[in-house]
Amino acid sequence: MRKLMGNANSRPSEKTDNTTKILLATPEDYPARKICSPCGGEKKLPSSCSSMKKNTEQERKKPTVAAPSWVMAGSVYENCVFLEGKVDEVALLFFESESCLAYGEEDLPRELAQLDLSYHVHLPLDLAWDNPEAVAETIVTLMQKVRFLGVQQAVLHPPVTSGKNALSVEHAQQALRLVARAWSKHGFDCKDLLLENVEGADLIHLAPVITSLELGVCIDIGHIIAYGHDALLDRADIFNRLRMLHLNAPADVTTAKGRSKHASLVHLDAAGKHVARKVLQHVRQDCVLVYELFNWKEIESSFPVVNELFSFEGR
């Protein structure tokens, strides 16, 4: 099986202590998701298969907690096995178009559907927005690869409207309309195509098309801090579309490399915590909280910080 970003020689030992399982929940808050199989037994399904999932009051109390499919050296499947029981959902990292389009069953084995996890996709970072037709085709093809997991949501870095390789606001909006049409044509809901605030695209210039197309929004707290997206904090029209949060802190706001590197939330200073509180107050029960950190220890160290910030908001 092909490995992602490294080898699996240094796999962390799995913890069995459920007290560190996930943020804002105890194990009984998340009963197993099951349906009857044709042979009369019970089979686990990803929680994204919402029409089949047993919806209880306990399941609706807490936001979904997620982690990336790379928290240790190893394959997608090895990472997901490690994460089962620790989080509710996994963000499948399809960061590179060419390599991810080449994925087969070896890379995305059918056994993923048997884990007690739901899934969403983070779409590639290298999409060529000067060719939106090709972007749409790439997105649809990648979503088809994970249809067996019941995946509905995907995070998309929109075309940048400032800085290097920027499109005009008009062209960026046109490109998103084309992608949204392809997304809908293939049976997906536009609210599940989540635009993320990134360097060169704070979403404000794209707010009209987000609203008109009824797209969803993913807010990255670290990006607000690193790239000066503070104006987002007062945009109710954007936060009304919030479906997902990326939780991380910039490693170092004084350098380009440090601004783009995701670090544990323990690195938030007072100003950073203020931003995080402002964002977290918009979290609803249908939001997904993604600890977008690529090391399990950094995710674990971030749990108490978010618990503290939620407590401050009286959540």
Side-chain angles (χ1 to χ4, degrees):
M1 184 177 293
R2 267 181 284 181
K3 306 296 180 185
L4 296 183
M5 299 166 63
N7 59 57
N9 293 333
S10 57
R11 177 173 176 171
S13 59
E14 297 188 16
K15 294 188 178 182
T16 57
D17 179 3
N18 283 331
T19 61
T20 62
K21 178 184 175 185
I22 58 174
L23 158 75
L24 302 173
T26 58
E28 57 268 22
D29 286 326
Y30 292 91
R33 299 183 281 275
K34 300 176 181 178
I35 63 166
C36 293
S37 69
C39 59
E42 290 184 327
K43 176 183 178 181
K44 292 182 181 179
L45 281 183
S47 64
S48 55
C49 302
S50 57
S51 63
M52 302 180 186
K53 187 175 80 170
K54 181 181 178 182
N55 289 318
T56 67
E57 278 303 314
Q58 285 182 321
E59 283 177 314
R60 289 194 291 267
K61 283 181 181 178
K62 308 293 184 182
T64 298
V65 174
S69 59
W70 175 267
V71 296
M72 65 178 195
S75 67
V76 170
Y77 183 69
E78 289 166 338
N79 274 266
C80 290
V81 168
F82 174 76
L83 289 168
E84 185 182 27
K86 297 177 174 65
V87 297
D88 308 303
E89 184 162 309
V90 169
L92 299 170
L93 304 180
F94 289 176
F95 281 174
E96 297 178 353
S97 298
E98 184 177 356
S99 60
C100 293
L101 286 170
Y103 280 177
E105 190 169 337
E106 184 181 55
D107 309 286
L108 299 168
R110 295 284 162 174
E111 289 81 2
L112 287 169
Q114 302 305 315
L115 300 178
D116 193 20
L117 292 166
S118 54
Y119 301 90
H120 69 268
V121 164
H122 194 307
L123 293 164
L125 312 181
D126 58 358
L127 295 170
W129 282 104
D130 56 343
N131 186 353
E133 291 84 1
V135 170
E137 183 178 354
T138 295
I139 289 172
V140 168
T141 301
L142 290 174
M143 292 299 289
Q144 295 292 346
K145 286 182 180 292
V146 290
R147 185 173 288 275
F148 73 98
L149 294 173
V151 174
Q152 297 295 318
Q153 287 188 323
V155 176
L156 176 64
H157 284 196
V160 298
T161 55
S162 66
K164 186 179 179 181
N165 300 321
L167 299 184
S168 68
V169 173
E170 180 182 0
H171 286 158
Q173 292 183 355
Q174 288 175 353
L176 288 171
R177 289 189 186 96
L178 188 152
V179 167
R181 282 197 298 271
W183 179 265
S184 298
K185 181 180 178 181
H186 285 81
F188 298 105
D189 194 320
C190 280
K191 75 178 189 304
D192 292 324
L193 184 59
L194 315 182
L195 300 192
E196 180 181 353
N197 61 303
V198 297
E199 183 178 13
D202 64 3
L203 302 185
I204 291 176
H205 289 149
L206 301 175
V209 77
I210 291 172
T211 301
S212 65
L213 295 174
E214 298 185 339
L215 297 170
V217 165
C218 171
I219 295 296
D220 188 300
I221 290 175
H223 292 175
I224 292 179
I225 299 166
Y227 303 122
H229 292 174
D230 302 76
L232 267 179
L233 299 174
D234 298 318
R235 293 297 297 255
D237 55 337
I238 292 175
F239 276 98
N240 285 342
R241 309 298 307 169
L242 183 67
R243 303 295 305 284
M244 188 174 293
L245 288 184
H246 281 177
L247 301 169
N248 61 84
D252 181 2
V253 296
T254 65
T255 67
K257 184 176 180 180
R259 285 190 292 271
S260 65
K261 183 178 180 181
H262 291 194
S264 168
L265 293 172
V266 299
H267 296 289
L268 288 176
D269 59 14
K273 287 185 177 181
H274 174 73
V275 169
R277 289 189 188 103
K278 292 274 286 185
V279 174
L280 286 166
Q281 71 185 3
H282 294 281
V283 169
R284 301 183 302 273
Q285 293 169 1
D286 62 349
C287 279
V288 180
L289 304 183
V290 186
Y291 287 81
E292 202 181 35
L293 299 161
F294 310 108
N295 177 289
W296 179 249
K297 289 184 178 179
E298 291 200 337
I299 293 174
E300 275 194 312
S301 69
S302 297
F303 286 165
V305 179
V306 177
N307 275 322
E308 174 196 344
L309 295 172
F310 260 91
S311 297
F312 185 90
E313 292 297 334
R315 303 300 287 267

